[in-house]
Amino acid sequence: MASQTSTPLEYSTKQNEMNILGFWIFLGAEIVLFSTLFATYFVLEQSYAGGPTQSDLFILKDVLIETFLLLTSSFTMGLAIHQMRGNNKNAMLFWTVATLLLGLGFLYYEINEFNHYIHEGLTLQTSAFGSAFLTLLGTHGVHVALGIGWVIALIIQVVRRGITAVTARKFFIVSLYWHFLDVVWIFIFTFVYLKGLM
Amino acid sequence: MKRVRSVMKLFILFVATLALTACEPLTVFDPQGPVARNLSDLIIFSIIFMAVIVVTVYILFGIIVWKYREREDNKDYEPPYEEGSKALEVTWFIIPVIIVIALTIPTVITISDVEDIPEGYEDQEPLVIHVTSADWKWIFSYPEQDIETVNYINIPANRPIHFKMTSAGTMQSFWIPSLGGQKYTMANMQTQLYLVADREGEYIGRNTNFNGEGYAHMDFEVVAESPSKFNEWVDEVKNTANELTEEKYAEILQPTVIGRETYNGTHLQWIDHAHGGSEKYIDPEAYEGHLIENKKADDDSVTDSESNEKE
Amino acid sequence: MKLDEFFVTGDPLILGSQIAIGLTMVGLVVLITYLKKWKWLWNEWFTTVDHKKIGIMYIIAGVLMFFRGGVDGLMMKAQTSRPNMEFLDAQHYDEVFTTHGVVMILFMAMPLLIGIINVVMPLQIGARDVAFPKLNALSFWTFFVGAMLFNISFVIGGSPDAGWTSYFPLAGSEFSPDVGNNYYAIALQIAGVGTLASGINFIVTILKMRAPGMKLMKMPMFSWTTLVTSVLIVAAFPIFTVALALMTLDRIFGAHFFTVAGGGDPMLWLNLFWLWGHPEVYIVVLPAFGMFSEVIATFSRKNLFGYTAMVVSIVAIAFLSMLVWVHHFYTMGNSAAVNSVFSITTMMIAIPTGVKIFNWLFTMRKGRIKFTNAMLWALAFIPNFTIGGVTGVMLAMAAADYQYHNTLFLVAHFHYTLIPGVVFAVFAGLYYWWPKMFGFKLNEKIGKWHFWLFVIGFNLTFMPMFFVGLDGMSRRMYTYSESTGWGPLLGISAVGSLVLAAGFAALVYNIYWSFRYASRDIGGDPWDARTLEWATASPVQEYNFAITPQVTDHDEFWLMKKQGRNTIKKEDVKDIHMPSNSAIPIILSVAMGIVGFFLVFEWVTLAAIFSVLIIGGLIANSFDYDDGYHIPAKKVWETEQKWRGDL
């Protein structure tokens, strides 16, 4: 196994360095993408066209549970990376599976949330507010779902190949992605839910 | 030298084209009202600056390309290494900055000017005309006179006209180049324009923002006439034109190209498209497939004078 | 959906194209099968990850799209050549100008520039390939699939017809219920994925893979412009991605982002579109500036004048380009203050651009200017682009724009910036780098025909449009009456477009002639050039550089030649690691194309089912642990000996 030098394993090759830098730039593009969706939401957040409004829809308790699940999953993901750096494959896998379960929990609550909105009469077609809100939320949700699929694929690879420079890099990248989704959620929580309930 | 000759050729072509069109001045440079005149002055002012820049670049370009071309006798010449020149680079940084400032000042002044009633006409009460653009016609409502026209307007000369503009669906742009600049018309919104015709005459207005098949036919005529003649026209309309009904109005809003029409009463009594509700009149099925057969531009609203008089 | 609605029927022009397309496809398949080239195509091209081959495929696709967009342009010019022409009807004309715009910007300018960047940039910085070769292939194939999806629209289902800007409400399903605009939303989305990936790829390549010693401020200008353009791509394309996604939701899933009903805001589309669209203009024009810089320096035999100022200028242009989008709709009823601010930011772009023009002029001063074809294009750029630039400043003045907006004056202006700025640059770049790509030069004499016909035709076509615009003719009008008096000028313009087309034909003939007859014995450096790409063979060896060059200063290859460092020693040559070919990019892209096609026709269930293919492709990619292969040092040495001759 690679010696414990000052460079972490995921940065140990030139190709790894480039992949990680490339992913950071991709996250930059993702920031632009979500900023555009937020801007769209801010433009249309008052256009109800007779449909339900924020205060009709939002249930703070459910949103807080989602927030708690996702924030915790970000923490467990951090622990997984920590274990990966320590080359403890089993501990790493344990925390990754924990992350996965928390992520699935988040998705479960989010799907419930969508059901609730449909029940309350808010769909994509109801109003500009509905379109903008559900699209912003849905885009984040799809990102989380993709992230879960990605993590599963990586768990299989780590089980099969152990912690190598390549799997470590892939894992590090998915952790960046996961933390990013967490940050986006914090913005959604603050500027969509809290603002909407005020 | 080939390059220089080609540049000369271009220049001759340029002048020839100018001469060709000079016999009848270009609409934008032939203003018929204070707003258009203001804009045309600004444009000419900017063209002078631009001409100076173009001439400078062309002369420098011509000299450099001619003087430093590869010739039979300079094949051994090895050009020097040049880092650049602070002094020169600062010069061609500063000069454009000055030009931009010189252009900014009149631009900013004119931008505010054209948003208001033109200078010298502030004491007159403007005539209000509501403009509603639809696919593919212009609908004009005179709320004070309580009449409505399609695809033409009569206006009194030398009196400011206040256009309150909106759209019944797609976005259009309202433009009478002889009288002033253009502005968009948008559903659920109202934009404004103040124009004055200080000469009597007939001018063309049109939509410049593409909005589907009938777009090319979306022009209208503006007749500026003396106030007494304008009043006569209003009286005549009130006496002869049909009453505008809601049914008739819905029919007008169908995606069609139609000629001029005149009505008593305005549609503002049912709907002001600036404040929503347009979807009631929009029928997506009416937009399916091919809508307009090839139509002669000459047949369009401007020269067509279909009348709508009471039987 | 009935079959007669599926295929566009009834128009003889389109019927002719359908038959022609069908026959060409069958012909191609038969020809390739007959020549037994399928395997070769698949192994050497379709699955390649080599940046040079990908670049060449981009360029071929770009030239084909240039032809298609050009035919659209000619049809428009024919239709408006005389008053009341009856060549095209309104609907057909609307489709033609829409596809002309989309094809020229996104499927002609973009791939030609990205293609040349792909071939040249890694060589210029002394790299073996781009940072992510497989992703690079994916970029190409998504672009290609997007372009093909867009192009089949005119035979299957009908073309988009709301203009390349596709303004709402017109482009919404309320006013354009036919499938045409679905093609726009989805084909551009697929192609956009590839562009974003290219942007990321190029940034990492430039930041991480420059040859040792090449500091950023010692990088060739073309690579600098590539870097800045890539940053703009990453900053701007996600906005377009979102805009197109929202358009898709509106059109196919009944959402209300931009509709008149439901509280949507059509103006939001205009803002999002131009927040992407204006940077997009600079995304295509900046690499073009880089090409002119290389060509002018090489053929003046001088280094670039004011290198630092040039770099600062492109960064300034890129920065300002994000702050000017409102100038596309001054007439929307913005407050005077907003229009004033955007007038100023827009005019400010002229300042760094002017600095660049003067720096180019002074690069030539005291030089020894050689009038090769590449250089002619760079020279023609300066006077023609200056006209585009000054009319741009005129348009920037918001008040005056009230009289220019949406007229042919505007159309003439942007053709005077994009054709000299991008098309001339692509021609300059093609003539200049052609030997690097294919190992032979394009013919200079036929090239002169190409040049003069094209430049004269260009001016004849677009100069009159300034005047017609000032005379009150708005853009996108398929017909006009005789009484307008626009006939003669538009007639000249139509004749000009034929000359322009003849110029393009001369280029095609030149490629054919040179392919058949041009000398293959040109060495690595046929132009006596200055940058590292010329330190390789023509065409370039698959591994680029046998030994990564050590860079000391600007114009490194020029210095190498001066100092006699342009040789390699056998003992320095090592095994070279290469990435393996991969079928994943093409398969993944085709899967996206299939899903896209179903979405266009709003067959959502089918689209969802076939999305499994995309997911599968991504999983396959994640589990792909191919490490590439090595070219043994011995083989590298043999190849080097062969092209260097004297080793």
Side-chain angles (χ1 to χ4, degrees), chain B residues 141-209:
Chain B
S141 322
Y142 296 69
E144 222 172 298
Q145 287 73 18
D146 198 32
I147 57 176
E148 186 146 309
T149 61
V150 177
N151 287 332
Y152 81 99
I153 38 174
N154 284 19
I155 56 169
N158 284 313
R159 178 174 168 193
I161 315 292
H162 184 185
F163 291 101
K164 296 185 174 180
M165 307 185 294
T166 187
S167 163
T170 57
M171 185 170 87
Q172 288 86 356
S173 188
F174 175 87
W175 189 35
I176 310 168
S178 301
L179 300 186
Q182 63 192 294
K183 212 167 256 186
Y184 287 164
T185 60
M186 298 166 286
N188 306 337
M189 269 176 245
Q190 190 176 70
T191 45
Q192 330 238 359
L193 212 50
Y194 289 97
L195 297 175
V196 177
D198 56 11
R199 289 176 206 163
E200 290 173 25
E202 292 167 12
Y203 314 114
I204 302 288
R206 58 167 296 110
N207 169 21
T208 70
N209 194 67

Side-chain angles (χ1 to χ4, degrees), chain B residues 1-3 6-7 10 13-14 17-18 20-21 25-29 36 39 42-43 46-47 50 53-54 56-58 60-61 64-65 68-70 74-85 88-89 92-93 96-97 100 103-104 107-108 110-112 114-115 135 169-171 173 175 177 180-184 186-189 191 206-213 215-217 278-279 282-284 287-290 292-298, chain C residues 84-86 88-91 94 97 161-163 167 169-170 173-175 177-178 260-261 265 267 270 300-307 309 328-329 331-333 336 339-340 343-344 347 351 355 357-359 361-362 364-371 376 379-380 382-384 386-387 390 393-394 397-407 451-452 459-460 463 467 469-472 474-483 489 492 554 558 562:
Chain B
M1 175 56 216
K2 265 181 175 172
R3 281 298 320 160
S6 88
V7 172
L10 280 184
L13 179 81
F14 190 83
T17 334
L18 263 182
L20 197 81
T21 44
L26 298 170
T27 314
V28 166
F29 294 124
L39 296 177
L42 178 68
I43 292 170
S46 70
I47 287 180
M50 295 306 128
I53 295 171
V54 169
T56 314
V57 171
Y58 279 30
L60 256 178
F61 176 80
I64 288 173
V65 172
Y68 298 103
R69 72 196 192 280
E70 183 176 82
N74 72 352
K75 286 251 157 92
D76 307 329
Y77 167 65
E78 202 49 49
Y81 177 84
E82 268 189 312
E83 191 64 46
S85 154
L88 279 171
E89 286 170 67
W92 59 62
F93 177 75
V97 171
V100 166
L103 291 174
T104 299
T107 304
V108 171
T110 316
I111 291 173
S112 326
V114 295
E115 296 299 326
D135 289 347
T170 57
M171 185 170 87
S173 188
W175 189 35
Q182 63 192 294
K183 212 167 256 186
Y184 287 164
M186 298 166 286
N188 306 337
M189 269 176 245
T191 45
R206 58 167 296 110
N207 169 21
T208 70
N209 194 67
F210 175 67
N211 65 331
E213 277 185 68
Y215 160 73
H217 303 288
S278 308
E279 56 268 26
I282 299 169
D283 173 18
Y287 286 88
E288 267 168 22
H290 234 158
I292 303 258
E293 290 307 307
N294 217 347
K295 201 168 163 20
K296 277 209 162 169
D298 282 337
Chain C
N84 290 319
M85 268 295 267
E86 292 187 8
L88 303 175
D89 62 18
Q91 176 61 24
D94 299 346
F97 72 67
D161 57 358
Y167 277 3
L170 175 65
S173 50
E174 290 158 306
F175 299 103
D178 302 322
V260 175
D265 185 355
M267 299 306 115
L270 270 74
S300 307
R301 302 178 66 81
K302 258 182 92 221
N303 64 314
L304 205 58
F305 189 90
Y307 175 91
H328 295 274
F329 41 85
T331 57
M332 203 212 261
N339 277 353
S340 300
S343 286
I344 294 168
M347 280 193 263
I351 299 168
V355 168
I357 296 268
F358 283 103
N359 275 330
L361 285 174
F362 274 70
M364 292 192 281
R365 197 183 67 134
K366 296 191 190 160
R368 171 150 62 86
I369 303 168
K370 203 172 157 98
F371 297 102
L376 282 181
L379 287 175
I382 293 176
N384 286 301
T386 303
I387 294 180
V390 295
V393 174
M394 290 166 70
M397 301 160 66
D401 182 62
Y402 282 23
Q403 291 283 39
Y404 309 133
H405 184 64
N406 270 345
T407 66
F451 174 78
W452 287 107
N459 276 287
L460 269 178
M463 187 58 80
F467 298 95
L470 289 173
D471 206 27
S474 59
R475 67 196 293 198
R476 297 170 170 177
M477 286 173 68
Y478 81 100
T479 191
Y480 55 95
S481 69
E482 183 130 31
S483 60
L489 281 173
I492 295 176
H554 300 295
W558 185 256
K562 288 262 135 107

